[in-house]
Amino acid sequence: GTLLVLEQISNVLKTSEAEALIASGRRSMGRSPEKHYTKGFENYRTSKSAFLTGRHPVHAHTRQISQLVARLPDTANAEWPQLLLYDPGDWYKSHLDTFHNYRHPNASRGTGFSQWIVWIKSRLGTDAEDSSAVEERAAARHLSPLSSPTDTFELALVAEVLAHDREQLPEQWVDWLLSNLERRSSGLLSALLDPVTGLPEVFPVVQRRWQAAVGASESFHWSYEDALGPPWVEPNRHCTLMFYLNQPESGGGETAFPYADTHALVLPDGTVVAGDGGVQHQGIPECSQGLRVAPFAGGGALFYHKHGNGTNDGRSMHAGCPPHEGGVAWKVNGFMWNVDSHEGPAFFRG
């Protein structure tokens, strides 16, 4: 697979600028909003935050730094900075900075998953020899949406994904799917792949698992992008520059990338320590997985959410790890778009 694109940066902010960012936003801080996912995830994000929208000159300056570091064409590509505060024990569990409910102009009614189901039904219903053989195998395992009720099909396919692909899903989703599979709940895959509240980026995992389970050839591979017509680049957040305004006195406060191919801790001086680097966090296992960048005053981590061809990169999944007792972590999110940052969110409304 492709590698996560991540770069540690030093001296991206002066001490006076970091102090001005904190001072200008301290009184505006509130509990960070949560969009995850369903009841039981109320403590998915416990940090505090505030967007800094130009009341102080350092806000516009920080925006410009984001644009220049990422080499984007205009400051308008960068959102206003978002100030973050992590007190001891605060976290933001694994998440993506990208939006997931984009509606392509050619998209017909329904999600990619629902359109795939329609396509599979039509494909299995043909007279082709391979279709009848696949239908027979799929029906025997309740993996045919043509001959099994949709809920039965989803439950059977969820069981296959959990048996073979659970490491490709965030732990909290695995737990949620397991508990609801035991209850024989309806709509599990529809919830998992929901473009607004779920993880639509794991649809290829689900589709590949179905193909493997029923012995379907590549002729059964369906692409949502192909169904929409010529290739396009989805408007979305392109990259994030995470500014570190201080170094927590007692350690912790890292940015973790659990899907990175390297299991290591990047220290402020750029040294890479293999494994967890002796730093562990209770209650948030993703902060002991993959690659973690330790915060340091004036430093930053630039990471990209898109592949070179414009598709979203799920390896940019990341988490904000808690500072240890005795210290706090101040950070700034510098979100950047591949379109005007004021116009971009409009593609995801309605």
Side-chain angles (χ1 to χ4, degrees):
T2 56
L3 297 175
L4 166 74
V5 180
L6 167 69
E7 184 172 355
Q8 183 192 48
I9 303 171
S10 300
N11 302 315
V12 71
L13 281 176
K14 299 176 183 176
T15 301
S16 59
E17 293 168 341
E19 292 173 347
L21 285 165
I22 294 171
S24 67
R26 186 187 293 271
R27 292 187 178 183
S28 303
M29 302 296 284
R31 173 73 181 268
S32 298
E34 293 191 81
K35 60 182 179 181
H36 307 271
Y37 292 109
T38 172
K39 187 177 180 180
F41 291 92
E42 292 86 356
N43 290 317
Y44 204 88
R45 185 183 190 187
T46 59
S47 58
K48 294 86 180 170
S49 63
F51 275 99
L52 310 177
T53 54
R55 296 185 307 275
H56 190 287
V58 75
H59 301 173
H61 178 63
T62 303
R63 240 183 124 188
Q64 186 176 39
I65 291 173
S66 296
Q67 175 230 335
L68 294 174
V69 168
R71 300 181 181 181
L72 295 180
D74 196 279
T75 306
N77 291 101
E79 293 182 34
W80 287 106
Q82 183 188 41
L83 181 65
L84 307 172
L85 171 61
Y86 287 77
D87 284 315
D90 283 349
W91 59 42
Y92 190 0
K93 294 186 177 181
S94 293
H95 62 282
L96 294 166
D97 288 345
T98 45
F99 291 68
H100 301 297
N101 57 339
Y102 174 66
R103 295 287 294 169
H104 187 279
N106 295 340
S108 59
R109 191 176 182 87
T111 64
F113 175 64
S114 64
Q115 292 187 43
W116 176 61
I117 295 295
V118 171
W119 185 85
I120 286 293
K121 286 181 177 180
S122 65
R123 184 74 167 77
L124 293 177
T126 66
D127 295 329
E129 183 177 343
D130 62 337
S131 294
S132 58
V134 170
E135 164 62 16
E136 184 176 346
R137 291 192 294 269
R141 304 180 64 176
H142 304 293
L143 287 170
S144 168
L146 187 63
S147 57
S148 294
T150 300
D151 284 341
T152 303
F153 165 75
E154 290 197 27
L155 287 166
L157 187 48
V158 165
E160 290 289 332
V161 170
L162 288 173
H164 301 282
D165 306 295
R166 69 170 62 190
E167 74 282 354
Q168 299 194 52
L169 300 175
E171 183 179 2
Q172 69 277 3
W173 272 101
V174 171
D175 293 342
W176 184 83
L177 288 170
L178 283 170
S179 62
N180 282 282
L181 183 63
E182 186 176 350
R183 297 188 192 104
R184 307 290 295 174
S185 301
S186 62
L188 292 189
L189 278 179
S190 299
L192 173 67
L193 301 173
D194 186 276
V196 180
T197 57
L199 295 175
E201 64 271 16
V202 304
F203 171 73
V205 175
V206 173
Q207 180 178 213
R208 290 291 184 187
R209 180 49 50 202
W210 180 83
Q211 288 180 257
V214 302
S217 67
E218 277 301 302
S219 69
F220 280 84
H221 181 75
W222 179 85
S223 167
Y224 186 44
E225 287 77 12
D226 290 346
L228 295 175
W232 87 103
V233 174
E234 175 190 281
N236 217 318
R237 284 174 172 164
H238 175 72
C239 60
T240 297
L241 176 55
M242 175 68 73
F243 295 86
Y244 301 123
L245 307 187
N246 75 314
Q247 184 169 342
E249 296 87 338
S250 303
E254 309 97 326
T255 307
F257 298 87
Y259 286 1
D261 293 297
T262 304
H263 184 206
L265 174 66
V266 182
L267 300 178
D269 64 1
T271 302
V272 178
V273 181
D276 61 19
V279 179
Q280 296 185 352
H281 299 280
Q282 298 298 317
I284 181 166
E286 52 264 61
C287 286
S288 298
Q289 301 167 359
L291 186 67
R292 287 164 302 124
V293 180
F296 60 102
L302 176 68
F303 52 98
Y304 286 81
H305 310 303
K306 284 189 171 286
H307 297 292
N309 64 0
T311 58
N312 294 340
D313 185 357
R315 290 175 185 256
S316 66
M317 179 85 71
H318 58 286
C321 303
H324 297 315
E325 287 297 330
V328 302
W330 287 96
K331 308 178 184 181
V332 161
N333 272 323
F335 299 124
M336 288 169 276
W337 288 71
N338 56 4
V339 295
D340 187 305
S341 64
H342 299 294
E343 299 174 358
F347 291 101
F348 299 88
R349 294 179 185 143

